């Protein structure tokens, strides 16, 4: 499916989302009123997940994913928070946690 169609032609999300922003479903929001792409994105957010991870799993460009997640944020279906790493990306604790997570996936 073309990204233009998924985002209904929008190229800018209504909320500022970073690729490292963590997104999590709130359990609220009418799923019956959501497009299939929104439902798919919401399903990936039952635990804190980064915008980049959602984009990779949906196989969509990051900007399209940001539009979808922004829609979900607007309707209260998800919440976001800036990751701890955004404060200091060279923090040893954050880098070690990232390394541990990557090693577990291999």
């Amino acid at each position: 499916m073309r990204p233009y169609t998924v985002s209904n032609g929008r190229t800018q999300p209504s909320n500022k989302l970073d690729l490292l922003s963590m997104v999590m479903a709130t359990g609220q929001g009418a799923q019956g009123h959501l497009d299939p792409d929104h439902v798919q994105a919401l399903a990936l957010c039952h635990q804190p997940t980064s915008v980049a991870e959602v984009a990779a799993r949906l196989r969509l460009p990051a900007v399209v994913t940001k539009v979808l997640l922004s829609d979900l944020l607007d309707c209260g279906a998800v919440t976001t928070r800036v990751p701890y790493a955004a404060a200091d990306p060279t923090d040893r604790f954050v880098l070690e946690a990232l390394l541990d997570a990557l090693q577990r996936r291999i």
Side-chain angles (χ1 to χ4, degrees):
M1 183 172 285
R2 298 186 62 115
Y4 183 85
T5 305
V6 173
S7 65
N8 293 323
R10 294 173 291 156
T11 59
Q12 294 294 321
S14 59
N15 298 286
K16 183 173 175 8
L17 294 171
D18 188 271
L19 285 177
L20 299 178
S21 295
M22 300 302 287
V23 184
M24 185 167 174
T26 62
Q28 300 174 2
Q31 289 192 11
H33 294 89
L34 298 176
D35 293 334
D37 299 305
H38 289 93
V39 173
Q40 215 175 3
L42 184 58
L44 297 172
C45 300
H46 286 292
Q47 60 186 359
T49 308
S50 71
V51 171
E53 181 73 16
V54 175
R57 290 179 185 257
L58 292 176
R59 297 178 184 230
L60 289 172
V63 69
V64 174
T65 303
K66 288 179 183 182
V67 170
L68 291 175
L69 292 173
S70 185
D71 292 346
L72 293 172
L73 186 60
D74 288 342
C75 75
V78 297
T79 61
T80 62
R81 66 177 171 85
V82 178
Y84 175 73
D88 183 10
T90 61
D91 183 10
R92 183 181 175 101
F93 175 76
V94 173
L95 293 174
E96 286 176 356
L98 177 62
L99 179 61
D100 288 343
L102 289 172
Q103 288 174 337
R104 279 182 287 190
R105 294 200 72 144
I106 293 177

